[in-house]
Amino acid sequence: MGRSIYFTDLEIEKLIDYVSNSVELLGEAEGTWEQTAEDMENGLGSAMRKLYKGRNGERIYAKYKTKKERRHKE
């Protein structure tokens, strides 16, 4: 049950900048890094991977797969 959302290049760049900074800050804050790590495993990481597709930094999120991708691998 997905849907297509189209962004301009400028919108994508702004999203990447904002989300990257937010994930980094949350990952460093005491008491929130566990939640951030869990969120990264439960969808945030795969969303970041898709957002970065074809851009510098994509490899940082390469390990995060969607649940569907994980099922096909097993």
Side-chain angles (χ1 to χ4, degrees):
M1 178 195 267
R3 62 187 178 120
S4 298
I5 300 173
Y6 300 96
F7 296 105
T8 65
D9 288 339
L10 179 61
E11 290 171 328
I12 290 171
E13 293 301 322
K14 291 298 178 186
L15 283 170
I16 287 172
D17 290 344
Y18 181 81
V19 173
S20 295
N21 290 336
S22 297
V23 168
E24 186 176 320
L25 287 173
L26 288 172
E28 293 173 357
E30 186 175 333
T32 60
W33 70 268
E34 291 106 346
Q35 183 62 50
T36 302
E38 184 178 329
D39 291 344
M40 291 296 286
E41 289 295 330
N42 292 323
L44 180 59
S46 62
M48 292 296 293
R49 182 175 55 88
K50 291 175 185 177
L51 188 60
Y52 268 91
K53 189 168 181 76
R55 292 181 159 68
N56 288 336
E58 178 182 8
R59 65 182 171 81
I60 296 169
Y61 301 100
K63 70 179 183 177
Y64 298 105
K65 305 290 183 195
T66 62
K67 289 180 182 180
K68 184 178 178 180
E69 290 171 323
R70 282 184 242 151
R71 277 197 306 265
H72 288 296
K73 195 174 189 180
E74 295 174 350

